[in-house]
Amino acid sequence: MKRCVIVGGAEIKRYDLVQKALREDDFFVFCDSGLKHMPGLGVKPDLIVGDFDSWDNPHMEVETIVLPAEKDDTDTFFAAKEMVKRGFDTFLLVGVIGARLDHTLANLSILLMLDEADKDAKAIDDYSEMEVISAKAGKPGRASIEDSFSFFSLLNVTGTAEGITIRNAKYPLEDGRVDCSYQYAVSNEVLPGKIAEVSIAKGRLLLIKDY
């Protein structure tokens, strides 16, 4: 199955970073003002979604879902749910982290929604890559971080995460616990020449890897 790339309207300055992450067979969904990124990304939409309150409907010969301006879902959240319905299992979100904190947090919650749906999802911006690590059905959540990243952080965005282990990093951790009121697993570093390994026995964490 192709990967679904959802393009939001937040600012993208380093199109080169996003382009490196794209694949020839990606399915591109552009959300409303995300359409402004077509020239920078050098790709065209396979689907357009939006209420077009921040960008004019281009009326391209592409499937377009026009949403009402007054609704519960943001354009980007609707797009993610729609593509889950269409059977996509892998997602990349771009143009979703920006100046508006409310939109940024709402868009990051898409990663949580996709994780709950057992989908593989990642978000990237000009500075970092983000993904959710979660323990499910008695199986620990796992992730690895290469030393090409400057820093990495583990943030709790819901509930309490327990049984956290970090290896091959400047600040290792064994059977740690992180809740939303005390975020101490920030700005860790992969040991040179190593690949850091993270595992979590209960709950879920947002892994942010900084370029």
Side-chain angles (χ1 to χ4, degrees), residues 65-201:
I65 299 176
V66 179
L67 302 173
E70 296 182 358
K71 58 189 182 304
D72 292 330
D73 292 344
T74 64
D75 297 335
T76 312
F77 207 99
F78 178 92
K81 293 200 301 186
E82 176 66 20
M83 302 317 290
V84 168
K85 290 179 183 178
R86 297 191 185 197
F88 284 85
D89 290 321
T90 307
F91 291 79
L92 176 64
L93 309 180
V94 301
V96 299
I97 310 299
R100 285 194 60 176
L101 181 59
D102 52 352
H103 278 227
T104 292
L105 294 178
N107 287 334
L108 286 177
S109 74
I110 297 174
L111 293 178
L112 298 176
M113 181 271 289
L114 292 172
D115 175 68
E116 289 180 353
D118 290 323
K119 307 301 181 184
D120 181 14
K122 178 190 297 184
I124 60 177
D125 64 9
D126 293 328
Y127 309 101
S128 56
E129 297 182 6
M130 288 149 274
E131 63 186 279
V132 172
I133 311 172
S134 64
K136 297 178 182 175
K139 292 184 178 181
R142 300 184 184 277
S144 58
I145 305 100
E146 298 179 354
D147 65 351
S148 57
F149 290 97
S150 300
F151 301 97
F152 71 92
S153 299
L154 296 168
L155 298 176
N156 193 323
V157 290
T158 174
T160 299
E162 299 177 354
I164 305 165
T165 299
I166 303 174
R167 297 197 172 112
N168 295 330
K170 183 176 181 179
Y171 305 108
L173 184 64
E174 197 72 33
D175 196 26
R177 181 180 186 272
V178 177
D179 59 38
C180 292
S181 63
Y182 183 33
Q183 307 279 5
Y184 64 85
V186 178
S187 292
N188 209 334
E189 300 176 41
V190 182
L191 293 178
K194 300 286 187 177
I195 295 178
E197 301 290 341
V198 174
S199 65
I200 172 175

Side-chain angles (χ1 to χ4, degrees), residues 22-44:
L22 301 181
R23 305 170 184 167
E24 290 186 3
D25 64 344
D26 282 334
F27 186 95
F28 292 95
V29 182
F30 281 76
C31 302
D32 207 311
S33 61
L35 288 161
K36 66 188 176 187
H37 297 307
M38 279 196 298
L41 294 177
V43 298
K44 294 183 179 180

